[in-house]
Amino acid sequence: MDIQHTARLAKLEIPEDSAEKWQKDMESIIEMVGKLPEIDEDELLLHDEIMPMHDDILLEPLISRDEMLSNAPAAKNGYICVPKTVTDKEHSK
Amino acid sequence: MKLYEYSASELIDMLNAGKCSSAEILGDITERISTAEKDIGAYITLNSTAKEAAVRSDELRSRGEPCHILSGIPVAVKDNISTAGMLTTCGSKMLENYIPPYDAHVIRCIKKAGMVITGKTNMDEFAMGSSTETSYFHVTRNPLDTSFSAGGSSGGSAAAIASGECISAICSDTGGSVRMPASFCGLVGLKPTFGNISRCGLIAFSPSIEQIGVMGKTVRDTELLYSLVSEYDPMDVMMTNKQYHSFDVNELKGLRIGIPTELFGDNISDECKKAVADALRLLEQNGAVITEISIPMLKYAANIYYIISSAEASSELARYDGVRFGHRSDSFTGLDDMYIRSRTEGFGDEVKRRIMLGTFVLSEGSRESYYLRAVSAMHMLKKEIISSFEHCDLIASPSYPEPPFHLAESISNTARYSADICTVPANLSGLPAISIPCGKAGNDMPLGLQLMSMPFREDLLFFAAGEYEKLCGGFSQFRGGKAYGV
């Protein structure tokens, strides 16, 4: 396991000064959980166990937009505010 | 005797006989919270509107209007169950200020019945842990001896009941989080069949295995609360519309109880084995038939559990990115940096470990050797458990392989994870399981007996647990007279 690669995928930051400890901890956990029974290749995908899709049924919203937005860290005029997602450089391409 | 010392069933009788009011029960509990809470730390948030609910229940009763049997009984709620207008933090800095705009289905049930919510109880962060020490807010101490852990992740709920800071509690169980703290605090804890209590409004950790469960002082208390909150709810697509029927068995004679050798081997402490064996002997003397069974896949249960639950957690917890709700970092340089900083600041180490493990087992090159193998092994485990019910009606084991442990004990992550061996099989197979007190360890702390049954046979669990409760002389002996224990 490459701790920094996994952290990047998980959108977490592991400080360099504790990376070695994290690496060791995670490796011992992975070693533990990796002890699994041998399973035949054709049993791995479990086609017969796929969950059925449920119909999406539209219900009248019980929660107003303002209520929904009340937990957003930043909101304005009914919208959630986030930092700029496109830089000027990318925009001009 | 103070009113918080009684069970829910006793209080119901007293309310019906006019011997006390709901406001008086809440008054005693509030007073208890003011003296015990500083040493116990059971709650994260207290309900500021509890008194109004108690008064409302009293008014209904005094007018002779029909009211639910549990009306006026104080109940605590684990802090990962959504309560409209009341903080719901999941024990995490990430949700420190989160106020849900709606009630979970179970909360709607208890409000409709007129139960009084005392507050939101402490828990391991995002229900990941078994000691309630990973909570961002504070540690919860065991009311029977405050140097011990109350267990986890629902340690706050168990400590609240055992200290008289509430009467019953609603909590969640993803790998034993109701049963294990119940056993540490001398209480009864039930994880029902998967799909028997709506999870609508439960903040997700691992949706394919987690369940809302109930905790109480007695088997009857636990059953009453279970009957109330297991009402059908179409908002949880996994919910099965099976009506719960109580007790269609009425005698221990011939009831077959199987002991899996895999949960009775060297991995279980002698004290726990002895307490469970003594309890089963008592049931046997009264007609039950004890048989030895073998479920070989059980030895992989904890490994399977940590792969599947962490994989699901890594996906479920991806929603905490500082955009729609939860913690957003104060300083960042762009959108991606905002995600990373918000998550790094908002999650504690145990949650990060699970997210990283889940990310790893789902990542390219690992998915087949870890995640898919674990899913396949989970199905094999379930098949083995179900077929073992040809030889028995119930499966018995200790609720936890060791006696309750001290707080701040130095133990490796893998050792703590492996100790979930007794409880995780019920989650992985969707079966119902109950933990009841069955003896005391050398350290004078209670030990738990776990019983598991076929899906939708909670009635069998309540029956057998209730019979044991009568035979052993009640469960208050495991709590009463010890520190804050009631």
Side-chain angles (χ1 to χ4, degrees), chain A residues 10-11 13 35-36 71 81, chain B residues 99 303 328 336 344 373:
Chain A
K11 299 276 185 226
E13 191 177 294
K35 288 176 193 136
L36 293 171
N71 280 294
C81 305
Chain B
I99 299 176
N303 304 357
R328 180 186 285 191
D336 207 49
T344 302
R373 268 173 79 199

Side-chain angles (χ1 to χ4, degrees), chain B residues 215-244:
Chain B
M215 219 186 265
K217 286 175 182 163
T218 66
V219 175
R220 177 73 182 142
D221 283 13
T222 312
E223 194 206 353
L224 283 173
L225 190 53
Y226 168 67
S227 315
L228 172 67
V229 297
S230 54
E231 177 193 277
Y232 178 66
D233 174 25
M235 293 295 280
D236 180 349
V237 293
M238 301 313 290
M239 182 111 198
T240 39
N241 195 3
K242 288 206 175 185
Q243 287 293 314
Y244 168 68

Side-chain angles (χ1 to χ4, degrees), chain B residues 313-329:
Chain B
S314 74
S315 163
E316 289 294 335
L317 272 59
R319 73 188 56 162
Y320 303 105
D321 54 9
V323 175
R324 288 160 299 162
F325 38 67
H327 175 75
R328 180 186 285 191
S329 177

Side-chain angles (χ1 to χ4, degrees), chain B residues 23-265:
Chain B
E24 284 165 354
I25 299 172
L26 183 68
D28 273 10
I29 284 187
T30 308
E31 193 192 312
R32 181 65 165 176
I33 291 173
S34 69
T35 55
E37 181 62 2
K38 63 181 190 312
D39 292 334
I40 306 297
Y43 287 97
I44 293 175
T45 306
L46 291 171
N47 179 14
S48 58
T49 62
K51 199 167 176 192
E52 279 100 308
V55 169
R56 229 173 7 251
S57 168
D58 283 336
E59 283 170 359
L60 265 185
R61 224 179 270 269
S62 66
R63 285 204 300 266
E65 288 186 33
C67 60
H68 191 276
I69 185 170
L70 284 165
S71 179
I73 301 295
V75 61
V77 178
K78 188 175 179 176
D79 211 21
N80 58 352
I81 297 174
S82 302
T83 41
M86 202 192 305
L87 278 174
T88 300
T89 69
C90 263
S92 180
K93 179 181 179 181
M94 183 58 86
L95 292 175
E96 191 177 6
N97 300 309
Y98 176 68
I99 299 176
Y102 69 104
D103 276 329
H105 179 73
V106 291
I107 300 299
R108 287 200 293 272
C109 291
I110 60 177
K111 282 185 177 173
K112 200 166 69 187
M115 292 191 83
V116 178
I117 297 173
T118 49
K120 305 297 292 289
T121 50
N122 198 19
M123 56 186 280
D124 281 301
E125 186 179 3
F126 280 97
M128 296 172 186
S130 46
S131 64
T132 316
E133 289 171 296
T134 74
S135 168
Y136 168 66
F137 299 96
H138 51 82
V139 164
T140 294
R141 298 176 173 279
N142 194 312
L144 312 185
D145 181 335
T146 55
S147 68
F148 280 86
S149 166
S153 66
S154 314
S157 306
I161 302 176
S163 63
E165 294 186 44
C166 72
I167 302 297
S168 297
I170 299 198
C171 10
S172 69
D173 187 314
T174 310
S177 287
V178 167
R179 291 160 284 158
M180 185 264 197
S183 80
F184 273 35
C185 294
L187 300 165
V188 180
L190 172 83
K191 181 209 90 84
T193 310
F194 184 75
N196 247 6
I197 293 182
S198 166
R199 285 104 36 90
C200 175
L202 170 67
I203 295 180
F205 154 20
S206 181
S208 78
I209 53 176
E210 70 199 350
Q211 243 334 122
I212 287 180
V214 288
M215 219 186 265
K217 286 175 182 163
T218 66
V219 175
R220 177 73 182 142
D221 283 13
T222 312
E223 194 206 353
L224 283 173
L225 190 53
Y226 168 67
S227 315
L228 172 67
V229 297
S230 54
E231 177 193 277
Y232 178 66
D233 174 25
M235 293 295 280
D236 180 349
V237 293
M238 301 313 290
M239 182 111 198
T240 39
N241 195 3
K242 288 206 175 185
Q243 287 293 314
Y244 168 68
H245 297 289
S246 57
F247 297 7
D248 63 357
V249 273
N250 51 26
E251 59 173 7
L252 272 178
K253 193 164 177 283
L255 189 74
R256 301 168 305 162
I257 303 177
I259 307 173
T261 49
E262 293 78 8
L263 298 182
F264 235 74

Side-chain angles (χ1 to χ4, degrees), chain B residues 431-451:
Chain B
L431 301 184
I434 197 167
S435 174
I436 53 173
C438 72
K440 278 185 186 177
N443 59 21
D444 206 31
M445 296 299 281
L447 298 170
L449 160 70
Q450 178 183 250
L451 297 171

Side-chain angles (χ1 to χ4, degrees), chain B residues 205-206 305-317 354-355 357-362 371:
Chain B
F205 154 20
S206 181
Y305 170 80
Y306 276 92
I307 291 177
I308 290 174
S309 64
S310 303
E312 293 186 9
S314 74
S315 163
E316 289 294 335
L317 272 59
R354 308 279 185 108
I355 292 176
L357 175 60
T359 304
F360 172 76
V361 299
L362 290 174
Y371 180 69

